[in-house]
Amino acid sequence: MWVKLSRFILQNRISIIVFFLLGTVFMAFQAKNVKLSYTGSKILPITDSAFIKYNNFKKTFGEDGSVMVIGIKSPEIFKKDIYNRWSQLSNEIQKLKGIKAVLSSAKIFQLEKDTIGQKFVLKPIPGSPVTTDAEMDSIKNILYNTPFFEGLVYNKQNATLMAITFDTKILNTAERNPILKQIEDKAKAFQDKTKIQVHISGLPYIRTAVSKLVSNEFVLFLGLSILVSAIILLIFFRKFYAVFFPILVVVMGVVWSVGTLVLFGFELTILTGLIPPLIVIIGIPNSILLLNKYQNELRKDGDKQRALSVTIERIAVTTLIANITAAIGFGVLYFTGSELLMQFGSVASINVMITWLMCLCLIPIIFSYLPAPKLKAQTHVEAGFLHKLLVKTDNLVQQKSSLIYIGTAVISIVAFIGVMKINVNGYVVDDLPKNSKILTDLKFFEKNFEGILPLEVSVNTRKKNGVFNLTNLKRMEKMEKMISEYPEFSRSISVNMGLKYATQAFYNNDSTFFRLPDNMEKNFILAYIASGGKGNASLLTNFVSKDNQSTRISFQMADVGSKRLDAIMAELKPRIDSILTPDKFDVELTGSSVIFSKGTDYMLKHLFESIGLAIVLISLLRLAQFKSLGIMLISLLPNIVPLIITAGIMGYFGISLKPSTILIFTIAFGLASDQTIYFLTRYQQELNLTNFGVPKIVTDTITETGVSMTHIALILFFGFGIFTASTFGGTVVLGLLLSITLFVALIFNLTLLPALVLWLDKKKVRKMISDEESAKNAGEFDH
């Protein structure tokens, strides 16, 4: 089969080149349409019950994460000059296309009762720039005597915020970018003029800022991966053509990967943005193996045609199995059902195999047109540090295998203790550095307004107009107060708060009447609201379903982490049920914060399933390749132990399991398995092609294949090391731990694996001797 493949490639060189070039041009045409994602990470599958409830909530009440906030804190916020500038900023932002509404302490409304028209009217405050201190004091008194606005647009510790609501049509599109830029510029101008620090946050702003960072890092990591690969190729081969052409081929692979994203209708996210540099890092080892083998074959007789043919025959099977295992490491993520992971896993696995095929075909074809390089005899190799190290490794394997077993056991036990310390916890923005402005601004709103992340409570009364039943309103009020008592949550925004404000307005804005109306008052007040037209009705329509059967109660919360939020949700559920009994009400806790927390739990649950599936698939692949159950079983240990060590490191260093770090294990298992394949494939080939004993073959495999394994491990080590330059903490940890895992896997594949191969061989020998003795004894007995 491999001989035929080699012949096909070398006999159809022009056709293959044209095929890949045309394919690359087509993919490049597609790749230019790649778009950034501006929505939150879609971790939960669409079939998940929590995700279904969240989508149903949005269909009824609209988006929950459509508000951007600007905040300031100063004892001068109610000085007329500062207040006027704040009012001017509010008005300028309101006029921007794509902005639905702006609410701030300088752009509020006061409900006033029109007794003649029997309706409420909205009076804007201030109606015009403030000109006197007395007018400023009057506005301040109105604010401070309207409890509806406290904690919503101001607090009494001299902090105030501006809530900016986006048009939902542009909320999750690139169209919001120029609007956000204008808002930032206007806020910066306010800051420059007033010398008051401005803080900006909210999910639209955070997601856009993160998308911008993803875009920047996409270019950064692609450039760094190519640079690192080029440097390593130059060190290994010291020739321009041995650097340029492998880089050219993997760049073609990158183009195909981005084109695949577009063809599948996917966008660039924090995960899919990592695929192009991953293709470079994983693709380059294919070229190194091909070039190493080509040069080694050339040294034998200088016959370029034979060298290329043998190179394809021998390296094709090794690299095919190695790339399949790497693709499995990515591909199993597809079966999690999480859209985020499915996109990443499917595109990465497909393009790992496409890049392998490109390297296998194009590298030999390109070098068939180039003159055969003049190669020096590798007499210097045996004097090199790496060769000496591998010889010592072989001595350890051959003579002191018990030390390897003991060392592996001790390290695994220590690592297991660390595994027990792992914390499962994810934050919405914890992947950003502590000094990031996004994070520091978020902390400002958490300190002054209990946060900006949405938590929504949906209440279905099961009866038409049930929301406005006074008994139900009082029960919901009790629940709102109970939730607001948690320091993690803000005060509520709800129908109750609107009705309380309307009651106050009904009694000429006397703050002592900021309460729920009684039954008689309720009918009057609802009639006043209904008579007020579209403006007044909107006070309630965003919070009540059309049939008045369901309502939403909105809270803002701090980014407390999935672990704490899970604990709060578990604690809240029975407390809510005691107020709004399940036999009469359907209450759901939802919102972006809950979905993120559920997503973290979901990914952890499916982590073990993904690793288990990867182990089964790769084991079956090895069984098919080596046709030995023993080889299959012993080959798992050098791949699993590094994963345990990595998990132990996470436990000891307090690195939490979260969406960005959970991926490490499946990817690392797939890539670590490559080194096992390199070793065992060479071992099997020597076993089949020579008459040497197993100890001799193990020695040759360690000292010869160990060189390529080390070189490839170095490429992967430094290749994944580039991710430590990321702004995102999760990406930094991903790169660092993958580098460590693959380096540790190299050590175990050069020590534990050959030791187990020798043990397996000795076991077979002992069994053969035992069988022979049994047969001999049986013969003597018969005699």
Side-chain angles (χ1 to χ4, degrees), residues 734-761:
L734 178 73
L736 185 63
L737 290 182
L738 276 174
S739 295
I740 293 172
T741 305
L742 295 174
F743 187 75
V744 171
L746 172 69
I747 295 171
F748 280 99
N749 277 302
L750 287 174
T751 55
L752 180 61
L753 179 60
L756 290 170
V757 168
L758 287 172
W759 170 79
L760 193 65
D761 178 62

Side-chain angles (χ1 to χ4, degrees), residues 36-47:
L36 280 168
S37 172
Y38 293 98
T39 58
S41 297
K42 297 175 182 176
I43 298 174
L44 289 174
I46 58 175
T47 55

Side-chain angles (χ1 to χ4, degrees), residues 22 235 709:
L22 288 177
I235 292 171
M709 289 170 64

Side-chain angles (χ1 to χ4, degrees), residues 231-504:
I231 291 171
I232 292 175
L233 284 169
L234 188 61
I235 292 171
F236 287 172
F237 299 106
R238 301 179 185 278
K239 294 187 184 297
F240 170 77
Y241 62 79
V243 175
F244 177 76
F245 291 109
I247 292 294
L248 179 64
V249 172
V250 294
V251 167
M252 289 171 65
V254 167
V255 172
W256 281 63
S257 69
V258 181
T260 306
L261 272 176
V262 177
L263 287 175
F264 284 5
F266 301 157
E267 296 173 325
L268 276 182
T269 63
I270 194 170
L271 279 187
T272 56
L274 298 179
I275 292 175
L278 283 173
I279 292 298
V280 176
I281 295 165
I282 296 170
I284 286 294
N286 296 318
S287 299
I288 288 179
L289 287 170
L290 287 163
L291 291 177
N292 271 338
K293 186 64 178 176
Y294 173 54
Q295 292 187 358
N296 288 336
E297 291 300 320
L298 268 180
R299 285 190 178 93
K300 293 179 180 179
D301 55 17
D303 186 340
K304 186 172 74 171
Q305 188 68 21
R306 186 200 64 80
L308 287 169
S309 181
V310 172
T311 296
I312 297 172
E313 291 169 24
R314 293 287 186 88
I315 298 302
V317 61
T318 304
T319 53
L320 172 63
I321 302 299
N323 280 271
I324 287 176
T325 58
I328 287 173
F330 292 109
V332 292
L333 298 174
Y334 181 85
F335 299 100
T336 60
S338 166
E339 186 175 338
L340 181 71
L341 297 184
M342 288 172 71
Q343 292 181 6
F344 175 73
S346 58
V347 174
S349 58
I350 289 169
N351 284 279
V352 163
M353 297 311 300
I354 290 174
T355 306
W356 164 76
L357 188 60
M358 278 187 182
C359 290
L360 183 67
C361 294
L362 294 179
I363 293 297
I365 289 174
I366 290 169
F367 279 82
S368 73
Y369 287 106
L370 295 172
K374 294 179 181 178
L375 301 170
K376 297 178 182 179
Q378 289 188 311
T379 53
H380 67 283
V381 172
E382 293 188 3
F385 170 76
L386 180 57
H387 180 77
K388 291 178 180 177
L389 185 62
L390 291 172
V391 169
K392 288 183 178 179
T393 302
D394 179 56
N395 290 335
L396 178 66
V397 170
Q398 300 279 359
Q399 299 170 17
K400 298 180 180 178
S401 57
S402 57
L403 283 178
I404 295 173
Y405 301 143
I406 293 169
T408 301
V410 170
I411 291 171
S412 298
I413 291 168
V414 173
F416 264 120
I417 296 171
V419 172
M420 297 299 106
K421 299 176 182 286
I422 286 184
N423 185 31
V424 181
N425 198 18
Y427 293 82
V428 175
V429 294
D430 72 329
D431 279 344
L432 293 170
K434 301 300 180 186
N435 60 351
S436 164
K437 191 173 189 307
I438 298 173
L439 202 57
T440 54
D441 283 355
L442 180 64
K443 296 300 179 187
F444 169 85
F445 290 102
E446 289 180 351
K447 182 178 179 181
N448 292 283
F449 295 97
E450 281 77 43
I452 49 85
L453 301 179
L455 172 76
E456 301 283 353
V457 183
S458 170
V459 180
N460 185 341
T461 62
R462 300 181 187 172
K463 292 181 181 179
K464 188 176 180 179
N465 298 316
V467 168
F468 293 108
N469 177 285
L470 190 59
T471 302
N472 291 344
L473 287 171
K474 288 182 177 179
R475 285 179 174 177
M476 286 187 283
E477 179 187 33
K478 184 178 180 182
M479 180 191 68
E480 290 174 50
K481 288 180 179 178
M482 181 269 292
I483 294 176
S484 294
E485 287 172 358
Y486 284 80
E488 292 86 355
F489 300 121
S490 69
R491 46 144 283 191
S492 59
I493 304 174
S494 64
V495 167
N496 274 334
M497 295 301 289
L499 286 174
K500 287 178 181 180
Y501 187 21
T503 306
Q504 178 180 344

Side-chain angles (χ1 to χ4, degrees), residues 127-145:
S128 58
V130 178
T131 56
T132 65
D133 291 338
E135 190 179 351
M136 187 70 257
D137 289 341
S138 174
I139 292 171
K140 183 179 178 181
N141 287 334
I142 290 172
L143 268 173
Y144 277 33
N145 286 298

